[in-house]
Amino acid sequence: VEFQALGLSFAERGRCTDEALRVMQILWTQDAPQYSGPYGSFADIIFQPKPVQQPLPLWVGGQSRPALRRTVRFATGWHPIDQSPAQLQTTLATLATLSQQAGRQTPALCPRFTVRVRETASGTDRQFMEGNTAQITADLLQLQALGAAHVVLSTQTNDMARFRWEVETLAAHVLPQVH
C-alpha cells in the first residue's frame, strides 16, 4: 500500500533503499552535497548540522542476500528481528564472508527481540526470549556470547500495567545480570 501511495514499485524497494542510504551518507559527510540518481537528485544545498559522530551509527536489518550486502556496504550494525541463535550464527557467518569480500569490517550484531516475561518458567517448547527472568537472562547471555553489541527488547502488550511490570522486571532482575 505504501509503495502504491508513493508511486513506486515494490520490486524496486531494495534499490530505493540503497539510494536513500547513499544520500544520507552524502548529506552527513559532505560540506557541499550533491547527488543525482534514479529516484532523486540535489545540488547547491546546505545540510546542517552534521552528525557529531562520524561515521554516524547506522543499523540495517534484513536477512536476504541483498539486505546483507546493503548492511555490509552502509551499516555499522546489523539489526535482525526475532531470529533464533542458530539463525543468527548462520547469518553472521555469511555477513562476515560478505564483509571480508568487500574489505570492510563486519557490522556489529544489534538484534531486536519480542520479549515475553512470565512469572514462572516456560516449558521446553518455549520461544527464545520467553520465560521467567532466569530464562531471559540465559537468552541474553547467549546473545552476548554471539557477540551482540546491543540488544533491543520489545514487549507486545497493549495493557499498560502489564507493560510496566515487564519493563520493571527486566530492569530489576535481568539487566543487572547481563550488563
Side-chain angles (χ1 to χ4, degrees):
V1 172
E2 56 272 356
F3 286 91
Q4 288 175 335
L6 295 171
L8 297 172
S9 163
F10 183 76
E12 293 181 48
R13 69 192 183 283
R15 287 183 294 277
C16 209
T17 300
D18 288 347
E19 181 168 300
L21 291 167
R22 273 193 302 277
V23 165
M24 285 185 251
Q25 285 181 329
I26 290 166
L27 292 172
W28 292 337
T29 60
Q30 295 181 11
D31 291 329
Q34 54 183 332
Y35 179 81
S36 180
Y39 302 100
S41 61
F42 55 85
D44 299 321
I45 67 167
I46 296 172
F47 185 83
Q48 295 292 336
K50 302 281 189 244
V52 173
Q53 292 175 285
Q54 290 293 338
L56 184 66
L58 179 67
W59 295 0
V60 172
Q63 288 79 244
S64 69
R65 194 81 163 182
L68 294 175
R69 282 194 297 267
R70 182 176 302 115
T71 300
V72 167
R73 184 171 179 194
F74 296 107
T76 57
W78 176 49
H79 189 61
I81 298 174
D82 289 330
Q83 290 209 344
S84 71
Q87 290 170 314
L88 290 173
Q89 195 165 25
T90 298
T91 309
L92 282 169
T94 301
L95 199 59
T97 299
L98 292 171
S99 297
Q100 184 180 26
Q101 290 170 349
R104 295 185 48 98
Q105 184 176 349
T106 303
L109 172 61
C110 307
R112 176 188 185 102
F113 289 93
T114 301
V115 64
R116 293 171 185 87
V117 184
R118 307 288 184 237
E119 292 184 36
T120 58
S122 294
T124 56
D125 63 338
R126 78 178 185 95
Q127 294 181 1
F128 193 71
M129 289 293 169
E130 174 186 13
N132 65 16
T133 57
Q135 290 172 313
I136 292 172
T137 298
D139 289 346
L140 286 168
L141 290 172
Q142 220 178 332
L143 293 173
Q144 205 171 54
L146 283 174
H150 303 279
V151 177
V152 176
L153 298 178
S154 173
T155 63
Q156 294 293 310
T157 181
N158 292 326
D159 178 340
M160 287 310 293
R162 176 71 188 186
F163 171 79
R164 183 175 177 154
W165 177 81
E166 286 188 358
V167 170
E168 288 175 349
T169 300
L170 290 168
H173 302 288
V174 175
L175 295 182
Q177 304 300 315
V178 296
H179 202 260

